[in-house]
Amino acid sequence: VQLQASGGGWVQAGGSLRLSCAASGRTSSAYAVAWFRQAPGKEREYVSRISWDGGRTYYADSVKGRFTISRDNAKNTVSLQMNSLKPEDTAVYYCAARYGLESSYSHDYNSWGQGTLVTVSS
């Protein structure tokens, strides 16, 4: 499956953004999706993941209660609603997909979007 991430931008602290990840290719097979992010000078970190049917969602502690992941399989899209954004959320956000069960480990994913930059100013 091929992925295209979008929706990044600049926002003030406390604001909201909604990221989208559009999938194409072999979307008829069940695939899990996760979001990761990488801040300047830091390692890539896990943010959230969702099962193939949307029935299971998980979040990193740092975003729990502020971010919501969802998917629309009819449109082959996965969204990440980000509320109450903080300066420390500033990063390039990547969506990733894998066939089978969802995972929080980046090495489990073999399809990656190009990344979308989120900048949160204080």
Side-chain angles (χ1 to χ4, degrees):
V1 64
Q2 290 78 49
L3 304 174
Q4 178 87 23
S6 62
W10 178 91
V11 65
Q12 287 189 319
S16 299
L17 281 174
R18 187 177 182 88
L19 305 184
S20 291
C21 180
S24 61
R26 208 179 106 191
T27 57
S28 59
S29 298
Y31 60 95
V33 174
W35 287 93
F36 295 84
R37 66 186 181 187
Q38 187 166 18
K42 295 189 176 181
E43 298 285 319
R44 186 174 297 185
E45 66 172 352
Y46 160 76
V47 175
S48 179
R49 68 190 192 271
I50 188 167
S51 61
W52 70 273
D53 62 351
R56 297 184 298 276
T57 58
Y58 305 91
Y59 302 91
D61 287 344
S62 59
V63 307
K64 199 172 293 183
R66 300 188 296 122
F67 291 11
T68 302
I69 191 171
S70 61
R71 68 189 297 161
D72 183 342
N73 284 345
K75 297 181 179 179
N76 295 320
T77 59
V78 173
S79 298
L80 185 69
Q81 177 67 42
M82 306 186 296
N83 298 329
S84 303
L85 283 162
K86 305 175 181 179
E88 51 264 44
D89 294 319
T90 295
V92 176
Y93 284 71
Y94 299 89
C95 58
R98 69 185 303 264
Y99 297 109
L101 292 177
E102 61 279 9
S103 168
S104 61
Y105 298 102
S106 60
H107 61 252
D108 285 335
Y109 291 84
N110 48 22
S111 296
W112 290 81
Q114 83 286 6
T116 185
L117 176 63
V118 171
T119 304
V120 184
S121 66
S122 57

